Amino acid sequence: AQEILLASRPQGMPTHANFSLKQIELPPLKAGEFLVKNLWMSVDPYMRGRMVDRESYIAPFALGQVLEGGAIGEVIESNHVDFPVGSKVSSMKGWRSHYITDGADHTLLPETPLSESHFLGVLGMPGMTAWTGLNRIAQLKEGETLFVSAASGAVGSVACQLGLLMGAKVVASVGSDEKAEALKAMGIEQVINYKRTTNLSQALKEAAPQGVDVYFENVGGEHLAAALDNMNDHGRIAVCGMIAQYNETEPTPGPSNLAYIIMKKLRIEGFIVFEHWQHYGEFTQQMSQWLANGQVKAEQTIYEGLDNAPAAFIGLFEGKNRGKMLVKLA
Ligand code: NDP
């Protein structure tokens, strides 16, 4: 089997030198265990936070140890009645080709006409994040204006599409013209390429002259400042992520226009999707239907092979993905 270890902690932008590939021998299966061959693994921005040695809502990765993350695998040998050979499982055992487990924290995947890889994207954690932020945190209402940053990514592209389904006007921000065109093809009329604007706040004002009622925050920094400038009274900001800061080595200054929180009587609320997991059943029921009847489209960007996992991960911070960034292992 092969595993990818955290070789060193990134300083700033992660590089290939922060990862190392290791060949290991797996022992024979014991009673109650099964052998999984991973088919897909996820790379996610939050993993950058786990590479820093600090206390957070999730433990940091240990130096010299195999990394972890969402994965979908197939059972290829089994001494466990609940996980027979051929069953597909989801786990947090990404960044490795094969592993042995007793099944703790493993979920059997239901039969689906879609690729099981979608359980790492639109039907999994990122999709659930978009749904939670809009419904449970921001409480987006019909007729309101929604602004989404990192809008063509795993979370953002779902947030944009759900916004349309909820009857909102959607304004999106992305980092390339190609991403903007893809969102327009999905029915998002106002898309800003933030890399081409010199004044993001002004660009947002032109895209949403009626103002913004809900901001789905994925980026932070200049995006947050632009949103604050353009929020309507009693607007809500669901703070999901601040990817623009994850590779910063110095503390970044806050927006200079925070006083709008008072003047506009805003509600700004951060959230971590796992605290809302009791609603996952409700979410999958709705999302499976939207996917089946084409109301939500699930884009993916796929890198092939475990040795390309570091490139896929680094690519998240270079804007290399449209939709969910995945690594196909087998
Ligand atoms: P994405 O699929 O959106 O991938 C990251 C994207 O972010 C890139 O493609 C890039 O797109 C954009 N980006 C990267 N660096 C910058 C930058 N400096 N400024 C602006 N945009 C940048 O990732 P996810 O959908 O998985 O995650 C999106 C956000 O949601 C992240 O902040 C993540 O941490 C957060 N998150 C939070 C969760 C929670 O529970 N709170 C759960 C899951 C995700 P572009 O080309 O447009 O720049």
Side-chain angles (χ1 to χ4, degrees):
Q2 290 187 317
E3 298 179 337
I4 294 188
L5 316 182
L6 181 66
S8 57
R9 299 197 185 278
Q11 305 294 323
M13 184 76 166
T15 69
H16 288 273
N18 300 132
F19 302 87
S20 64
L21 188 71
K22 190 180 168 191
Q23 208 75 38
I24 56 158
E25 263 325 297
L26 291 175
L29 285 191
K30 295 199 213 92
E33 290 184 337
F34 55 97
L35 173 64
V36 179
K37 172 178 162 183
N38 269 335
L39 306 175
W40 298 93
M41 62 164 268
S42 177
V43 288
D44 300 88
Y46 79 85
M47 293 170 175
R48 179 64 183 82
R50 292 193 71 183
M51 292 174 181
V52 181
D53 192 9
R54 63 157 179 232
E55 225 171 278
S56 181
Y57 63 93
I58 185 163
F61 291 128
L63 219 48
Q65 297 293 315
V66 58
L67 292 160
E68 287 171 13
I72 304 287
E74 181 175 350
V75 179
I76 56 170
E77 232 184 283
S78 183
N79 287 335
H80 195 309
V81 282
D82 298 334
F83 295 92
V85 168
S87 43
K88 305 265 173 75
V89 291
S90 94
S91 76
M92 284 300 285
K93 300 281 184 190
W95 297 93
R96 67 203 83 188
S97 65
H98 300 76
Y99 62 93
I100 291 172
T101 174
D102 61 6
D105 299 324
H106 277 62
T107 312
L108 276 176
L109 292 184
E111 288 288 327
T112 150
L114 301 163
S115 161
E116 60 269 9
S117 61
H118 290 300
F119 286 101
L120 296 173
V122 69
L123 276 174
M125 189 276 279
M128 175 70 181
T129 302
W131 183 89
T132 301
L134 292 181
N135 286 289
R136 295 182 47 77
I137 308 299
Q139 291 152 13
L140 178 69
K141 289 177 199 63
E142 193 177 343
E144 289 189 323
T145 297
L146 166 69
F147 175 44
V148 181
S149 54
S152 83
V155 175
S157 64
V158 178
C160 286
Q161 296 181 77
L162 293 190
L164 289 183
L165 284 175
M166 292 165 83
K169 295 183 196 69
V170 181
V171 181
S173 164
V174 296
S176 77
D177 290 345
E178 178 222 328
K179 290 182 179 189
E181 288 314 313
L183 282 184
K184 285 182 185 162
M186 285 179 178
I188 316 294
E189 284 171 26
Q190 296 292 337
V191 188
I192 300 165
N193 177 349
Y194 71 88
K195 289 189 180 158
R196 281 189 186 274
T197 59
T198 44
N199 184 336
L200 185 59
S201 179
Q202 184 59 31
L204 180 54
K205 188 174 184 166
E206 282 158 24
Q210 71 281 18
V212 171
D213 302 297
V214 168
Y215 173 40
F216 195 106
E217 165 72 301
N218 283 322
V219 169
E222 197 192 353
H223 276 82
L224 178 55
L228 286 168
D229 277 344
N230 286 283
M231 294 303 290
N232 288 329
D233 277 8
H234 300 286
R236 287 88 67 205
I237 302 182
V239 185
C240 172
M242 293 199 173
I243 193 165
Q245 299 180 5
Y246 297 173
N247 292 317
E248 293 296 336
T249 49
E250 299 290 326
T252 43
S256 62
N257 56 353
L258 285 176
Y260 278 136
I261 301 169
I262 316 156
M263 286 183 252
K264 299 179 177 186
K265 295 137 289 190
L266 305 178
R267 179 164 65 78
I268 303 184
E269 186 174 338
F271 70 103
I272 296 292
V273 65
F274 299 112
E275 285 195 357
H276 299 264
W277 216 255
Q278 73 270 27
H279 298 280
Y280 182 66
E282 189 189 335
F283 158 74
T284 37
Q285 209 173 6
Q286 293 180 8
M287 185 54 84
S288 314
Q289 222 142 49
W290 288 323
L291 283 170
N293 56 34
Q295 283 172 292
V296 171
K297 301 229 165 19
E299 274 203 285
Q300 300 180 323
T301 299
I302 297 171
Y303 283 46
E304 303 256 349
L306 184 64
D307 49 343
N308 272 319
F313 174 71
I314 294 166
L316 290 171
F317 302 97
E318 301 169 332
K320 293 269 171 69
N321 62 308
R322 242 170 58 199
K324 177 66 194 137
M325 183 73 110
L326 289 172
V327 183
K328 189 171 190 210
L329 299 181

